[in-house]
Amino acid sequence: MAIASTTISSWEQLLEKARQNTPARRVKRPGQAPSTAPIPSSLHKLPPDRKPPVLLYRDSNSWCPFCERVWFALEEKEIPFETEFIDLSNKPKWYTDLVPTTLVPAAYIEGKLVYESKDILLELEERFGETLLPENLQENAVARQWVDDAETNGFRDIAYKFLRQPPEDANELANLQAEFEAKLDEIEQALSRYPGSYFLSTFSLVDIMYSPHLDRLAANLPVYRGYHIKENPRFPLINAWFVALNQRPAYNRVKSDNITNNLLLRRRFGVEPIGSPLPLDLADAELIEYRAEAAERLSDNREVAIGDILKNSGVQSLGDISIIKDSVDFHLRLLADYLINGNGQLLPGGRTGGKESIDPILAATGAITLAYVRNRICAPRDMSAGAATAFRAAVDKILTSIY
Ligand SMILES: N[C@@H](CCC(=O)N[C@@H](CS)C(=O)NCC(=O)O)C(=O)O
């Protein structure tokens, strides 16, 4: 059995076409995890041979909401930086010796070691201009107070208790929900104090302090608690804030997508879903820049992806490894081709007719490959949240079209 010749483009053609439609690029990290890393959008501003002024230590999977705050600020402030990834399941001794809390994020900022996300954010303001704090002195003081409050006002503890703690009974769940809603009411009120959609009259560190947490809660509560923040009429200002935030290019680079958040919560914290996943954002999934970014990532990093699928998805038990490998490669190319060219390409080579003529080994390899990569990719570790959404939507489309 071999995969017949096909009209689907080669990897080189796919990569070239994808790159014409997206500026997104990452550096490859051969043999390391993660296998790619984003290139900070302002790195090109640095004169050649000059080291970036900031070195950020962050978690290797890009799941940490506190690291997200710092990355968000660095992108907003257009500060060139380099990243060193720390494996939190096996922290290197040099790191635990270096950072007293042993937590991420930490950073060297112009040679000074700073840790605790809040302190890193304030140090960046101190050294690179207060672009994320209001100019008006009174408002500036309010901003600093709210940045402090975001760490101490109990919002996070109450929110994550509602999300993660298995409730004894319906009564306890209702109480946790009520406590959480009272905290959201406080945020809703804070958002009403200044004109515009942000906490203060301009976008600021306060938005950055809350964004990774509110985003994760909005993604996970529908699935794990059947509770919705988005489109909840009780919180119109929080909803307007989400809309404003999502218009910021820096946020779109650093945020994660709903499914990444959902899978992480289940895997890391064992929370049982009681609701349903939010539907994929099909507006993102249709945008050519996100589709092209997803195709670019897949084409450029295909060797690592194929190696991972062969090792971890279970396909290798299906038969001769070289045939399976060809089939995995073929189905990933099919996915990249569909992401860039859309429509019309959905019959894999070797399949001459409708669904009934599918070779069972090819069909099984394809189904496993696609289902595996759908949940394996992780935003923003592997690609932006928008690209990850386009990627997952394309997998769904192919699976329903050919199986
Ligand atoms: N208050 C810290 C919290 C940082 C934190 O909790 N980081 C987590 C990752 S999300 C961590 O390093 N966990 C590793 C560990 O607990 O050993 C901050 O704002 O920076």
Side-chain angles (χ1 to χ4, degrees), residues 176-376:
L176 291 172
Q177 177 174 323
E179 263 190 291
F180 172 63
E181 287 180 312
K183 284 287 168 198
L184 283 186
D185 286 339
E186 285 174 19
I187 291 181
E188 184 74 14
Q189 260 198 6
L191 283 166
S192 74
R193 303 232 171 95
Y194 290 89
S197 305
Y198 297 117
F199 281 88
L200 296 147
S201 44
T202 51
F203 175 79
S204 74
L205 289 188
V206 184
D207 302 292
I208 290 182
M209 291 297 284
Y210 282 99
S211 60
H213 296 293
L214 277 168
D215 212 30
R216 281 160 180 71
L217 291 162
N220 282 329
L221 285 170
V223 179
Y224 295 99
R225 290 293 174 260
Y227 184 84
H228 291 256
I229 302 178
K230 289 205 174 152
E231 291 171 28
N232 185 333
R234 178 162 167 174
F235 310 114
L237 299 181
I238 296 179
N239 275 281
W241 176 81
F242 273 126
V243 172
L245 204 59
N246 275 306
Q247 283 160 1
R248 303 193 75 83
Y251 197 53
N252 282 294
R253 278 197 284 280
V254 308
K255 71 178 185 179
S256 41
D257 72 312
N258 291 339
I259 307 262
T260 297
N261 282 320
N262 296 161
L263 293 171
L264 169 64
L265 200 76
R266 184 98 197 258
R267 281 184 200 145
R268 282 275 328 263
F269 300 100
V271 188
E272 288 298 321
I274 58 165
S276 337
L278 294 167
L280 291 176
D281 184 344
L282 292 179
D284 277 358
E286 274 154 24
L287 289 177
I288 182 62
E289 56 265 43
Y290 284 144
R291 296 176 67 115
E293 183 188 339
E296 199 274 343
R297 295 285 72 241
L298 181 57
S299 307
D300 191 44
N301 207 30
R302 61 186 179 269
E303 280 168 23
V304 172
I306 292 168
D308 176 41
I309 294 162
L310 290 176
K311 184 157 174 250
N312 298 314
S313 74
V315 281
Q316 67 279 45
S317 62
L318 290 172
D320 181 296
I321 191 71
S322 66
I323 293 172
I324 300 300
K325 188 173 178 199
D326 279 355
S327 178
V328 170
D329 183 288
F330 175 82
H331 283 89
L332 292 185
R333 262 191 306 133
L334 182 74
L335 173 58
D337 196 303
Y338 176 67
L339 278 161
I340 308 174
N341 298 317
N343 64 54
Q345 303 282 349
L346 291 178
L347 264 192
R351 300 177 190 184
T352 48
K355 298 185 183 193
E356 63 289 345
S357 66
I358 296 175
D359 175 283
I361 303 283
L362 276 190
T365 312
I368 294 172
T369 296
L370 293 168
Y372 180 78
V373 291
R374 186 191 195 279
N375 283 357
R376 181 75 171 98

Side-chain angles (χ1 to χ4, degrees), residues 150-169:
E151 291 300 78
T152 54
N153 64 11
F155 166 71
R156 260 196 350 256
D157 290 346
I158 287 176
Y160 286 116
K161 208 160 133 193
F162 174 42
L163 177 63
R164 288 184 203 152
Q165 180 173 293
E168 292 276 307
D169 51 31

Side-chain angles (χ1 to χ4, degrees), residues 59 63-67 69 88 91 101-105 115-118 120 151 156 268:
D59 63 314
W63 290 332
C64 165
F66 306 95
C67 301
R69 286 173 172 171
L88 295 187
K91 281 187 255 183
T101 58
T102 78
L103 301 175
V104 289
Y115 46 91
E116 284 296 313
S117 57
K118 183 191 84 172
I120 300 172
E151 291 300 78
R156 260 196 350 256
R268 282 275 328 263

Side-chain angles (χ1 to χ4, degrees), residues 371-392:
Y372 180 78
V373 291
R374 186 191 195 279
N375 283 357
R376 181 75 171 98
I377 58 153
C378 181
R381 182 191 63 196
D382 307 322
M383 60 187 74
S384 72
T389 302
F391 186 101
R392 297 189 218 276

